[in-house]
Amino acid sequence: MASAPTVAIIDDDEDVRDALCELLEVMGFICLGFDGGSAFLSEFSSGRFDCVITDIRMPEISGLDVIDRLRRIDSRTPVIVLTSAMDEYSRQRAEASGACAYLMKPVDDAMMLKALQSALAGSAFGDTDPHSDAG
């Protein structure tokens, strides 16, 4: 059997990072937290992470810049944006850069897990049930 998927969590808010890592670890994922884009990019290597979850507003390197840099070196790693940035520009830029999902903080655990499962299944065109949580 394949090993558990490894997920990178990039957020400058330690409480958010820790809570999300705890949730994902309970669900069977391997989770590594990073306090910003610089820390993540210095540790990144192609194939190391099965998915990246990033905040947008962070010091030094924004989550949008992380996505852009990641796309230049590895276009296959799925990215989920988890942010409090409600502006349409950020949403459109994340989408144009290939983000799989744009979720608002605080996010419901079930919604986060559904987005993560969909992102991980992306190579299979996201085999998800179109009737689940349709409301």
Side-chain angles (χ1 to χ4, degrees):
M1 220 12 47
S3 63
T6 301
V7 179
I9 307 295
I10 311 168
D11 200 308
D12 57 326
D13 184 327
E14 184 177 7
D15 292 336
V16 170
R17 228 177 26 248
D18 290 349
L20 193 49
C21 278
E22 185 177 306
L23 169 69
L24 298 182
E25 288 170 350
V26 166
M27 299 306 293
F29 295 93
I30 298 167
C31 185
L32 295 171
F34 298 92
D35 63 3
S38 297
F40 167 74
L41 291 168
S42 70
E43 295 286 322
F44 180 80
S45 62
S46 189
R48 180 173 182 198
F49 300 103
D50 297 295
C51 189
V52 173
I53 300 172
T54 186
D55 188 12
I56 293 228
R57 294 183 183 146
M58 297 181 289
E60 296 180 34
I61 299 176
S62 75
L64 294 172
D65 291 335
V66 167
I67 296 170
D68 291 341
R69 291 181 190 195
L70 186 59
R71 290 297 169 243
R72 280 185 249 147
I73 56 177
D74 180 356
S75 63
R76 297 182 154 241
T77 303
V79 178
I80 295 171
V81 173
L82 177 62
T83 186
S84 58
M86 297 179 68
D87 65 289
E88 191 59 28
Y89 171 77
S90 294
R91 184 190 225 5
Q92 288 175 355
R93 186 164 165 216
E95 194 174 296
S97 295
C100 299
Y102 192 95
L103 305 175
M104 299 304 298
K105 293 178 183 175
V107 68
D108 175 73
D109 291 354
M111 183 180 292
M112 171 52 72
L113 291 171
K114 184 175 181 178
L116 182 55
Q117 290 167 342
S118 179
L120 291 170
S123 60
F125 294 86
D127 291 334
T128 58
D129 179 2
H131 302 293
S132 66
D133 287 41

